[in-house]
Amino acid sequence: MPELNPQRTTAELKELRTLTGNDDGAQRVAFTPTWAQARAWFLSKLKDLPVEVHQDASGNLWTTLKGASPKALLIGGHIDSVPNGGWLDGCLNLLAGLAVLRRIAAEFPDGPPVTIRLVDWADEEGARFGRSLFGSSGFSGSLVADEVRELKDREGITLPDAIQPHGIDLDKMLDARAEQKNAAAYLELHIEQGPVLESLNLPMGAVLGTFGVERHAITFTGQAAHSGSTPMAQRKDALGGVSKLHLAIRNIAVEYGGVCTVGSVITKPGIVTAVVGEATMTLDQRHLDAHSLAMMYVDAQARSRRIAAEEHLDVTWKKIWSIPPFPFHPHLIDLADASIKEVCGVSHRLPSGPLHDAAEVCRTGIPTVMLFVQSLRGISHNKIEDTKEAHIEMGVRALDRLADKTIAWIATDNRL
């Protein structure tokens, strides 16, 4: 029987790091020359495989190994990175999937029982224009062109102008929904990007789903005044509202078992000699349960109004973005758990706080699951991002076991 080669995956990850990184980390930001170079490198790895390769209307790159059945197992990843990113985020998924594809192609020279499709999603990170899950949202149909049409990068280049040289027309991106045809399941291996598995001294875990997100900008408005001449009792300090709500937000997260983050605060006039007249904070709330997420949002709004009254301020909320939670397929979670146990001896089930393209695939109704492999120090999106090589290779092996189990499920399940 043809053997899987996880060591080759590790070597290719290092090769890609050398090719597209520098002393500050990975530089494969989507729709840049380095990203295009990374994709060309990836394409070179496919030349000896009996596959068909094409780019869809959303810029996603599909590699298809035709099987006896048109029902397809999808395995996905993304080769783009954040600026100064880590060497594993996104590309581990893709190159582990390539290892599985190679093994299946060698084992079934006349074609596997079902079709296998490996996808490199375009701009998962959203690092350049702030719109994450870009290509996969075109695939799912959730992308609204007019909501992103005016987005610009730091150089003032608009998103439509940046993607056009790469063969992507913003107004035709939803044509990528055609790629959903015959998709029976989706698998994705990813580094955890957090500290849970390391804290449990476990190499891998099966992912229950991706958190839903409520993201808002909250503005408290008071009255700017001289810091020396305005008595404390007569101040309308907008930053006081932000400060109180920030502390309340942390308690809300604990109460509901979610996470809440205030990532930015902007004050006006923003000088040392003036009481803050206006303060705007960003709030990111996440939970795997839709009802709990909704209640965290409602509670935060209620507390903001109470705090505004206490501080003699006005408060307004502006929605930035939201996405519902996406629980993964129960049977695939079981298969993922079993695959990890076969390779590692033990598994752990956990949710994903970060978003992934798997969320957009799950949105379409395609049965979806993810595998996590331990992240050292729980750090990602940073040049020190790392995972033990032994764990990387366990991840490749577990993904391969899961692929086999999923192929058998697809082939025998008449509901698919």
Side-chain angles (χ1 to χ4, degrees):
M1 293 287 289
E3 291 189 3
L4 189 72
N5 190 349
Q7 293 81 11
R8 183 176 180 181
T9 299
T10 303
E12 287 176 335
L13 286 164
K14 293 177 179 179
E15 183 182 341
L16 181 62
R17 177 173 61 183
T18 299
L19 181 69
T20 59
N22 58 29
D23 290 343
D24 295 320
Q27 306 299 333
R28 300 182 305 276
V29 176
F31 314 125
T32 64
T34 308
W35 174 76
Q37 182 185 22
R39 273 202 160 175
W41 172 87
F42 175 71
L43 286 170
S44 73
K45 301 294 180 181
L46 304 174
K47 61 183 179 181
D48 295 328
L49 290 171
V51 294
E52 180 270 331
V53 182
H54 74 275
Q55 178 175 297
D56 70 20
S58 287
N60 306 308
L61 189 66
W62 294 88
T63 301
T64 302
L65 175 66
K66 290 185 178 180
S69 169
K71 291 190 290 187
L73 169 62
L74 277 52
I75 302 174
H78 61 95
I79 211 163
D80 69 286
S81 75
V82 297
N84 305 326
W87 72 296
L88 298 171
D89 182 10
C91 55
L92 168 61
N93 331 5
L94 190 64
L95 295 179
L98 176 58
V100 174
L101 185 68
R102 284 174 177 143
R103 195 271 303 167
I104 294 173
E107 182 175 344
F108 299 98
D110 296 323
V114 304
T115 297
I116 311 297
R117 306 191 72 198
L118 178 61
V119 56
D120 171 26
W121 301 109
D123 197 10
E124 190 268 0
E125 297 290 2
R128 186 173 173 187
F129 294 98
R131 182 30 165 112
S132 303
L133 313 183
F134 182 67
S136 57
S137 66
F139 166 86
S140 72
S142 70
L143 181 75
V144 179
D146 287 342
E147 291 182 355
V148 299
R149 194 180 305 278
E150 303 302 323
L151 294 178
K152 296 181 180 180
D153 65 11
R154 292 181 179 179
E155 283 70 47
I157 299 170
T158 66
L159 187 150
D161 286 343
I163 64 178
Q164 188 275 331
H166 299 281
I168 309 169
D169 182 336
L170 180 62
D171 292 307
K172 295 181 180 178
M173 283 185 59
L174 296 189
D175 291 349
R177 289 176 293 182
E179 305 295 339
Q180 295 179 27
K181 184 178 180 181
N182 296 320
Y186 176 80
L187 313 178
E188 185 174 326
L189 170 70
H190 207 283
I191 56 170
E192 182 197 346
Q193 300 181 281
V196 174
L197 292 174
E198 186 180 44
S199 69
L200 296 172
N201 196 28
L202 296 175
M204 294 194 68
V207 184
L208 298 169
T210 57
F211 278 179
V213 180
E214 285 285 351
R215 193 173 295 165
H216 294 80
I218 306 162
T219 299
F220 286 92
T221 305
Q223 178 61 59
H226 195 286
S227 63
S229 61
T230 310
M232 299 301 292
Q234 296 180 31
R235 296 187 177 200
K236 297 181 179 181
D237 183 355
L239 185 57
V242 166
S243 299
K244 282 189 171 183
L245 185 58
H246 181 202
L247 296 177
I249 288 304
R250 300 194 302 183
N251 292 331
I252 288 172
V254 173
E255 180 180 348
Y256 289 96
V259 292
C260 298
T261 304
V262 175
S264 170
V265 177
I266 299 174
T267 64
K268 294 180 181 179
I271 57 175
V272 70
T273 54
V275 175
V276 174
E278 180 181 291
T280 299
M281 60 188 281
T282 59
L283 173 61
D284 183 292
Q285 297 177 295
R286 304 189 187 213
H287 207 291
L288 187 60
D289 178 74
H291 176 71
S292 297
L293 178 63
M295 291 307 299
M296 289 200 312
Y297 170 51
V298 169
D299 201 349
Q301 279 196 317
R303 296 197 196 194
S304 73
R305 291 191 292 268
R306 192 181 314 141
I307 289 166
E310 293 169 356
E311 296 292 320
H312 308 292
L313 306 169
D314 294 323
V315 63
T316 58
W317 285 62
K318 181 180 179 181
K319 184 174 181 177
I320 298 174
W321 182 65
S322 66
I323 189 171
F326 287 109
F328 291 154
H329 194 279
H331 183 61
L332 287 182
I333 294 172
D334 288 343
L335 294 184
D337 204 46
S339 300
I340 293 169
K341 287 176 179 176
E342 288 175 9
V343 172
C344 307
V346 63
S347 181
H348 176 70
R349 299 186 181 202
L350 71 167
S352 174
L355 288 168
H356 300 282
D357 293 305
E360 290 293 343
V361 180
C362 190
R363 186 197 291 272
T364 69
I366 297 168
T368 297
V369 77
M370 294 182 68
L371 304 172
F372 274 169
V373 64
Q374 185 192 115
S375 292
L376 294 176
R377 301 173 296 274
I379 292 175
S380 183
H381 283 192
N382 186 293
K383 67 178 182 179
I384 67 169
E385 169 189 286
D386 205 4
T387 294
K388 295 177 182 177
E389 291 187 16
H391 290 174
I392 291 173
E393 291 166 12
M394 285 179 178
V396 177
R397 292 189 186 280
L399 178 64
D400 188 58
R401 297 284 184 98
L402 177 58
D404 271 349
K405 295 179 191 300
T406 308
I407 288 169
W409 179 60
I410 292 171
T412 58
D413 195 322
N414 293 326
R415 295 172 301 170
L416 299 174

